[in-house]
Amino acid sequence: MDDAYKGKKEDKFSFGLWTVGNVGRDPFGDPSRKPIPPTRIVKKLSELGAWGINLHDNDLVPIDATRQQRNKIVREFKKALKDYGMIVPMATTNTFSHPVFKDGGFTSNDPKVRAYGLQKVMQAIDLGVELGAETYVFWGGREGAECNVAKDPIDALKRYREGLNYLCRYVRDQKYKLRFAMEAKPNEPRADMYFPTTGHYLAFIETLDFPEMVGVNPELAHEHMAGLNFHHGVAQAIEVGKLFHIDLNDQRFGRYDQDFRFGSEDYKSAFLLVRLLEDQGYDGPRHFDAHAFRTEDEKGVWDFADGCMRTYNIFKEKTARFAEDAEIQGILKEIEGKNPEFEKHLGKYSKKKAQSLKRAKFDIDAMAKPGLGYERLDQMLTELLLGMR
Ligand code: GCO
Ligand code: MN
Ligand code: MN
């Protein structure tokens, strides 16, 4: 395989400890591979050309560790980061594995659970900041319901808001340089999650006390699980300056949460996404939140990680090829701005403009007549992606 596509530090590729560390457990079967110690993950990812490593508090420090055990683990992990030139760009909290969170952390009906949730997040934020993280992700894995009469969804939203406001104030109080990135998911593990899409979060963020501290962490698989167009969701986040982080993977529509290797299923969606990120100058981490098939041993895990990075870089090359393809660019140019004389009617409202527009004549049948040639354009993209252009 061509080394030109291998991950490089400047590509800003990151993986979670939980991604390459996934042991292949699923609801029907036990782990199919052994856990890989975090320090070994740091070494291997660095060799493969990754730049960053992300973690939940308990990916590194077991939930029942003593202060002494915690400090020893963190010391060794920091040494590995230094030895292998890796950083921790993002950290997050596990508020979903322990059964105490079975009915949510922030949104639980029980104030004692909510208080424990806040305590756990504050400790995890301290850990993340100690390791150098500048982005803090919130994925409310258990913030949802099966029994939808057991909790008023309005209460759930109010509790979530209260928790986030509290934590924003904590970060400011501590003078941490940390931004929050909210990650939506429609379902799994709960039947219905309270923030099912990135769009739900974009609206909610504006209702917080410090909206400028909070953005989104959209995940490809999550939007595809909801049958949505990921590229459009990410575009909306970029357009309002809220794309703080991104979770890259792949997912077939209508299936369980698959977390496949980036770009392994839907080439066109992956291309459109990479093109958007690159053209818009997104300079945050390219984080792969995915895992190797359950069929794999450790070697397969590293093949998986290498594959995510290679595929991203191959799509990046395809976007350059797309931009240099004279025929494609010619068509795009032709599509744009066909009727410049009508620009004067558009843009900012004024009474005068509105009156003039109301008088303008439109022959809508003539306007509707020409074909737009999108079939040909789309086929050109298909052929480019299939390596024929
Ligand atoms: C999932 C989620 C998680 C989160 C992670 C970081 O579907 O399980 O995508 O992997 O991204 O917990 O917050
Ligand atoms: Mn996910
Ligand atoms: Mn994710």
Side-chain angles (χ1 to χ4, degrees), residues 18 56 90 92 96 137 139 183 185 219 222 247 257 289:
W18 72 95
H56 300 89
M90 175 275 256
T92 180
F96 45 88
V137 164
W139 172 61
E183 178 176 346
K185 188 174 184 180
E219 173 168 319
H222 297 176
D247 276 4
D257 180 15
D289 187 12

